[in-house]
Amino acid sequence: MSDDIILEVENLHAWYGRKHVLEGINLTVEAGSIMVVLGTSGCGKSTLLKNIIRLYTPGKGSINLLGNEMTELEEEDVETVLRQVGVMYQNGALLNSLTIGENVALPLEIHTDMSPKLRREIAETKLRQVELLDVYDRYPRELSGGMQKRVAVARAIVMDPDIIFCDEPSAGLDPVTAQGLDRLLISLNETLGMTIVVVTHELESIKRIAHYITYLDNGKVLFTGTIEEAFQADIPQIQEFFLRDNV
Ligand SMILES: Nc1ncnc2c1ncn2[C@@H]1O[C@H](COP(=O)(O)OP(=O)(O)OP(=O)(O)O)[C@@H](O)[C@H]1O
Ligand SMILES: [Mg+2]
């Protein structure tokens, strides 16, 4: 695997019981790029992400992440690799009983033996990085949807990961707030060189952020490349996806 490939998925299969959901996925992500995984609802986008970050154990195939063959590692080594990976889940997943600061600092508390003071300093820095000030001691319910998403980004980057995965980051946001969140992702990519894999079906967002796209259809990759190449490829499902009204 070349040095500048940070993630390479090959022939990945996944099942839920007898339902074959991923049927031989190939996905290559270059270090420092923004890859968008797209496709209609139910095609397997979240499942792909969950297999990569090991919420599910891959059924068959290979996942090389940060130079490690994840399917061959012991559980404890999988965890070590995943510490270098940030995740923003589809439903935000902030813990309502914790303050914003505690939510952001949670990965540090779980994975490091840093002092509470240092954890707080780092969490505050990350909150500033996502342009949220003075919310450290507030609770998730006191923040708007857009602010909660930014908190989820701050938590995803709190361990200074090399790569972050975001599942539908702008779902449920108004267009202006969604655009702000996209700008945040772009700035993390440009200023920190962070590799970002985003799952989304929001057309405007895809056009703004994607360096490359991988289009899934029914558990298979129909296309991977740039958006321009996708248009040229003349694949009916993809044309339809890009030409539909953005709902
Ligand atoms: N835990 C589960 N158990 C059984 N089936 C599941 C489970 N999670 C997802 N599925 C099914 O697997 C398929 C792929 O689901 P997945 O969540 O990966 O889709 P998606 O592309 O992320 O969709 P969306 O855009 O709506 O988030 C769907 O048919 C879904 O119903
Ligand atoms: Mg999903």
Side-chain angles (χ1 to χ4, degrees):
M1 199 176 78
S2 121
D3 274 355
D4 53 5
I5 302 299
I6 197 163
L7 169 66
E8 180 135 54
V9 174
E10 284 179 301
N11 194 29
L12 181 69
H13 290 256
W15 287 263
Y16 290 116
R18 288 165 64 188
K19 191 174 157 63
H20 198 178
V21 178
L22 300 181
E23 302 183 27
I25 300 289
N26 294 304
L27 170 72
T28 304
V29 180
E30 278 177 24
S33 69
I34 302 181
M35 166 63 83
V36 172
V37 177
L38 66 159
T40 51
S41 186
C43 68
K45 303 181 296 294
S46 294
T47 302
L48 172 60
L49 227 60
K50 287 173 181 171
N51 274 266
I52 296 169
I53 60 169
R54 204 49 85 85
L55 288 180
Y56 292 112
T57 307
K60 193 181 125 189
S62 148
I63 298 173
N64 196 307
L65 179 58
L66 294 158
N68 303 278
E69 180 47 57
M70 300 295 279
T71 57
E72 286 168 7
L73 293 182
E74 301 291 334
E75 200 171 312
E76 150 183 354
D77 298 323
V78 167
E79 277 173 29
T80 309
V81 177
L82 291 179
R83 273 175 220 173
Q84 294 160 262
V85 170
V87 184
M88 193 183 163
Y89 296 96
Q90 184 155 3
N91 298 317
L94 297 179
L95 300 175
N96 291 323
S97 60
L98 299 183
T99 66
I100 296 303
E102 287 165 348
N103 265 285
V104 174
L106 194 61
L108 300 174
E109 190 175 345
I110 296 172
H111 298 299
T112 76
D113 49 15
M114 279 178 195
S115 68
K117 183 167 174 287
L118 185 56
R119 291 203 300 262
R120 182 175 180 117
E121 274 170 27
I122 293 175
E124 279 173 346
T125 308
K126 299 302 172 186
L127 282 168
R128 271 198 298 280
Q129 230 167 324
V130 301
E131 292 167 15
L132 282 178
L133 298 170
D134 304 325
V135 296
Y136 193 96
D137 294 310
R138 308 270 289 273
Y139 284 87
R141 64 175 176 276
E142 300 176 278
L143 267 54
S144 70
M147 290 163 91
Q148 291 187 22
K149 300 276 186 175
R150 284 176 179 270
V151 174
V153 174
R155 186 176 56 186
I157 62 173
V158 77
M159 300 272 288
D160 291 325
D162 297 312
I163 180 168
I164 59 174
F165 293 91
C166 307
D167 198 351
E168 304 282 0
S170 48
L173 299 180
D174 65 83
V176 174
T177 310
Q179 200 171 344
L181 195 71
D182 287 342
R183 273 204 303 272
L184 172 62
L185 295 178
I186 291 169
S187 96
L188 291 175
N189 171 259
E190 288 180 351
T191 60
L192 304 174
M194 202 173 276
T195 308
I196 308 182
V197 178
V198 182
V199 164
T200 183
H201 49 232
E202 310 271 338
L203 209 44
E204 290 310 312
S205 191
I206 296 163
K207 290 181 190 158
R208 275 193 295 264
I209 64 176
H211 297 161
Y212 302 101
I213 61 171
T214 292
Y215 188 94
L216 298 195
D217 182 61
N218 254 326
K220 295 195 182 77
V221 175
L222 271 193
F223 171 84
T224 187
T226 63
I227 294 181
E228 293 72 29
E229 287 164 354
F231 277 119
Q232 285 158 13
D234 210 14
I235 299 166
Q237 290 95 322
I238 298 181
Q239 298 291 359
E240 198 180 319
F241 186 92
F242 278 108
L243 293 175
R244 84 202 148 121
D245 290 334
N246 192 19
V247 285

